[in-house]
Amino acid sequence: MENGFEHLNHDEVVSLEANTFNNLDISKTFKVGDFLVAIKEYVNANNTNEARLYSKGLTCEVLKLGAQGWKKGKVRLALEFCPDEPESLLDDIRQQLRQVEN
């Protein structure tokens, strides 16, 4: 988690203000997985190598700050959420600890 943002799972539900997206074929309330599919269709990535960016991930190398070199792995798109206010002081401390661990 970075700057209060947390990764959302594909089965979690998001509701946006009406007319947030004019070009995506998706309702204002949707599952995260459905949103990623809508983006994939919008950029016309179906049946291409890039389609894996939305599911299994693409093979890559990452050079992270403070790391001892490149690390091989996969990268994929995800949706993150940042609450306006932490649910509790304990949640805020957990977020800060996770940031230190990463």
Side-chain angles (χ1 to χ4, degrees), residues 4 8 12 22 34 41 43 49 59 70 73 78 83 87 96 98:
L8 294 176
E12 293 182 295
N22 296 323
D34 295 337
E41 290 173 356
V43 299
N49 287 335
T59 302
W70 291 93
E87 291 183 16
Q96 291 174 2
R98 287 187 198 120

Side-chain angles (χ1 to χ4, degrees), residues 25-39:
D25 184 22
I26 194 156
S27 65
K28 75 173 207 135
T29 302
F30 52 84
K31 286 186 177 181
V32 171
D34 295 337
F35 180 67
L36 295 174
V37 167
I39 293 172

Side-chain angles (χ1 to χ4, degrees), residues 1 9 18 24 26 37 40-41 54 56 63 75-76 80 82 88 92-93:
M1 183 179 326
N9 294 320
L24 291 181
I26 194 156
V37 167
K40 181 173 64 172
E41 290 173 356
Y54 302 87
K56 297 178 184 177
L63 182 59
V75 64
R76 69 177 177 185
E80 295 182 332
C82 180
S88 71
D92 193 34
I93 293 169

